[in-house]
Amino acid sequence: MEQAGNRPAVNLKGQAGGVPFNPHHQETAPGVNLAVEIAGLRLANPVLPASGTFGFGAEYAPFVELNRLGAIVVKTITLHPTPGNPPPRLTETYSGLLNSIGLQNPGLEVFIREKLPYLRQFTPPLIVNIAGRTIGEYAELAARLSEAAGVDALEVNISCPNVREGGIVFGTVPAMAARVTAAVKGNTPLPVIVKLTPNVTDITVVARAVVEAGADALSLINTLQGMAIDIDTRRPALASVVGGLSGPAVKPVALYNVWRVARTVKVPLIGMGGIMTARDAIEFLLAGATAVAVGTASLVNPGALMAIIAGLEDYLLDQGLADIRDLIGALEI
Amino acid sequence: MLMYLQGKIVTQKVVAPEYNLLVIEQPAIAKAAQPGQFVMLKAWERRDLVLPRPFSLYRILPREGQIQILYKIRGQGTAEMARRGAGEEVELIGPSGKGITLPATGAIALLGRGIGAAPLMAIAEAAKGQGLEVYTFLSARERSLLLGEEDFARYSRRVVTSTDDGQEGGGRLLTDLLVDIIEKESPSLQRVYTCGSRRLARGLIPLQARYGFIAYVLLEEHMACGTGACKGCVCKVKDPARPEGYSYQKVCQDGAVFPVGEVVW
Ligand SMILES: Cc1cc2nc3c(=O)[nH]c(=O)nc-3n(C[C@H](O)[C@H](O)[C@H](O)COP(=O)(O)OP(=O)(O)OC[C@H]3O[C@@H](n4cnc5c(N)ncnc54)[C@H](O)[C@@H]3O)c2cc1C
Ligand SMILES: Cc1cc2nc3c(=O)[nH]c(=O)nc-3n(C[C@H](O)[C@H](O)[C@H](O)COP(=O)(O)O)c2cc1C
Ligand code: FES
């Protein structure tokens, strides 16, 4: 009988990645450029982990060569430790994951003291995602992270659907979103990426407001608000009743939002929402994203990021293209 | 160190109505795994089922290069698992969680309710291999749902059973049956491990001081990553350092084994 042995899991057809994780995968094939630029940051390739699905990097070190990522994006940091929401925090829905983590994180000080030294050893830019309960907290987080060596950009989370104070409140009112953006910009020399929620009537209004307030780039989408009910107990599947939906189920919505925002603002976009394979990632690039982030796919296949990078390269080679930048916004209508 | 690997199904058999035993060839995980640990398993190509599912290691067989999973068919994922047969491949992430640390000498007791027996088998086997005395207590709704009784008998000095219909053990609580044995046989009980019932775990709390053992529970919580990254699988644990008096710990990384006295029930 054939030995299953220590071969890396070969992904089942059509599933996350589609290409087996090979840690010895050669650097980008000669003659093919995967590098892109976002808000002054040079990314060796356009593939990033999505905040909150990649911990603080170390969790994925057994599966992902962190130095091969376009950038490293860590879980949202708040000024003070945040305990998070009561369990159950997760439930699966058709092709989707509904979560209500509630931004559980050890807080700014522990992050700087215990997580940052580990993260500094990697070469890709480090993007730290932040959330405050007040505009003042966003400003303070920006100031203090700018002083901590090793942080290359801030991603401002004004779109978390799972916290009572702050979070999505800032992301749904354009004037508030602009004030948060301006406060962060005023307190940091670092590039500022603002992460948008799809839970609004018109995402382009918020996009325009934060760009006018100084955002250097936008990332979208955060999760879509949703819920699930256990009909046997008649109770909500999540302890906090409402959660955020991610995974393949949200991809069409995410792609549509990216496409619309790309036609509205000039700053680069990091597109995300349901990307499981390199093919999915390419759809986002064609819709106008300069880079993509991968969240739920990593939870399913911890090697997904590597597989997607390799898949992009294969796509360029197959298509006889030399530069991934030729795909950005190249949708033909 | 966590691994993401493919495993090959060696056999799958029905052990009770709705309960299957799955034998998987995966030498690296079989070699690295400790009793009390689990794997995240995905055995389907269906796109509507996104997440892998957590399963305890029922038996860990490093020499054979195999792991065994005893599972109950509950929903779509486990129904898909049940359709897979010998030679088919599954995706595995693991070994996950901290596992257990056995005492150097003396006796241990295992209290399993229903499918909660699954992780206890690996503990029984390791304990017996180390020369410890094992007392096993199993309960279920009815006779046919008492799982692994014969296997447990191989590793245990005693296997005590109880069924809700009263056919076994008069339907008594496993904690009461445990007290009976302690009083009658006075084993030098060091550790008690329980899985499958919150009520059982809570019932062990007052017994610890009285009989001088430490009790641990193997907790379950809905999981996504199984690697500590998503913070989705938490349980509430006492934490005097926090103003709230508790903190949320990850079942997949900080557990799934917790001292019963530290969990906020
Ligand atoms: C650490 C750990 C070890 C486990 N070991 C075993 C074992 O050895 N044998 C066994 O039969 N079962 C075990 N379980 C429970 C098992 O994971 C669930 O029965 C299984 O996920 C159900 O999947 P489903 O698709 O059939 O059910 P569905 O009800 O369709 O599942 C829907 C969602 O809920 C989750 N879910 C449902 N029930 C549970 C549960 N009890 N715990 C965690 N997630 C759940 C699923 O993962 C899935 O995301 C374990 C759970 C954990 C956390
Ligand atoms: C478990 C989980 C936790 C998340 N935590 C955060 C977070 O802390 N901060 C944040 O900005 N987004 C968070 N997100 C949203 C993701 O970064 C991403 O925007 C979203 O999941 C869509 O991408 P996906 O479908 O690839 O997962 C989280 C998503 C999931 C599933
Ligand atoms: S399941 Fe993701 S942290 Fe435990």
Side-chain angles (χ1 to χ4, degrees), chain B residues 107-205:
Chain B
I108 66 164
L110 308 171
L111 276 64
R113 165 87 190 163
I115 190 64
L120 303 180
M121 186 65 74
I123 300 176
E125 191 170 359
K128 165 88 177 181
Q130 217 178 282
L132 304 177
E133 270 180 6
V134 180
Y135 291 83
T136 300
F137 301 79
L138 302 174
S139 79
R141 249 185 9 253
E142 54 179 64
R143 272 257 73 217
S144 68
L145 302 178
L146 287 170
L147 302 169
E149 210 182 329
E150 281 166 32
D151 285 338
F152 276 115
R154 248 185 291 140
Y155 308 121
S156 311
R157 188 181 165 95
R158 297 274 244 115
V159 179
V160 179
T161 56
S162 176
T163 54
D164 301 353
D165 59 12
Q167 301 239 328
E168 293 283 325
R172 294 175 65 208
L173 279 177
L174 295 187
T175 38
D176 292 344
L177 294 168
L178 170 69
V179 167
D180 281 2
I181 295 272
I182 296 174
E183 302 276 348
K184 257 192 286 178
E185 301 188 10
S186 34
S188 121
L189 200 58
Q190 306 293 313
R191 301 272 189 279
V192 177
Y193 302 95
T194 188
C195 184
S197 156
R198 293 192 158 231
R199 178 163 159 220
L200 263 184
R202 277 199 312 266
L204 286 167
I205 297 170

Side-chain angles (χ1 to χ4, degrees), chain B residues 223-233 250 252:
Chain B
M223 293 186 174
C225 67
T227 62
C230 76
K231 320 283 183 272
C233 63
K250 290 161 281 183
C252 75

Side-chain angles (χ1 to χ4, degrees), chain A residues 101-309:
Chain A
I101 310 294
L103 299 185
Q104 175 172 342
N105 80 89
L108 178 68
E109 266 162 42
V110 173
F111 172 74
I112 291 176
R113 200 174 57 232
E114 292 174 19
K115 309 291 178 186
L116 201 49
Y118 170 79
L119 289 162
R120 276 193 200 110
Q121 66 180 304
F122 301 104
T123 46
L126 175 64
I127 301 174
V128 178
N129 183 300
I130 57 171
R133 288 171 302 185
T134 61
I135 291 179
E137 286 192 359
Y138 279 102
E140 187 173 347
L141 281 158
R144 297 203 19 213
L145 283 164
S146 308
E147 286 161 14
V151 180
D152 298 296
L154 300 177
E155 181 174 53
V156 184
N157 182 358
I158 54 166
S159 44
C160 180
N162 300 326
V163 286
R164 233 174 306 135
E165 302 165 280
I168 202 163
V169 176
F170 292 115
T172 49
V173 181
M176 289 288 271
R179 280 177 62 198
V180 173
T181 307
V184 171
K185 275 299 281 183
N187 278 279
T188 185
L190 298 173
V192 172
I193 304 159
V194 178
K195 184 162 178 179
L196 303 181
T197 174
N199 301 303
V200 290
T201 313
D202 186 349
I203 198 168
T204 62
V205 177
V206 186
R208 213 179 284 122
V210 299
V211 169
E212 276 165 18
D216 300 295
L218 303 178
S219 54
L220 67 163
I221 59 171
N222 208 318
T223 53
L224 281 155
Q225 275 168 311
M227 63 189 288
I229 296 171
D230 179 337
I231 61 163
D232 296 325
T233 61
R234 298 193 186 179
R235 294 177 56 77
L238 300 178
S240 39
V241 186
V242 178
L245 185 65
S246 66
V250 311
K251 200 192 86 182
V253 178
L255 196 61
Y256 169 64
N257 279 296
V258 166
W259 178 67
R260 285 195 69 209
V261 171
R263 304 201 315 168
T264 307
V265 298
K266 291 254 159 11
V267 300
L269 307 182
I270 302 170
M272 70 193 84
I275 296 175
M276 306 299 276
T277 64
R279 295 188 70 87
D280 294 335
I282 292 161
E283 286 191 58
F284 279 80
L285 298 177
L286 291 172
T290 298
V292 294
V294 176
T296 305
S298 289
L299 308 176
V300 180
N301 166 355
L305 284 155
M306 294 291 106
I308 290 170
I309 295 169

Side-chain angles (χ1 to χ4, degrees), chain A residues 17-38:
Chain A
V19 180
F21 167 44
N22 173 5
H24 306 297
H25 185 87
Q26 63 177 45
E27 292 300 309
T28 308
V32 176
N33 175 58
L34 284 184
V36 296
E37 204 182 294
I38 294 240

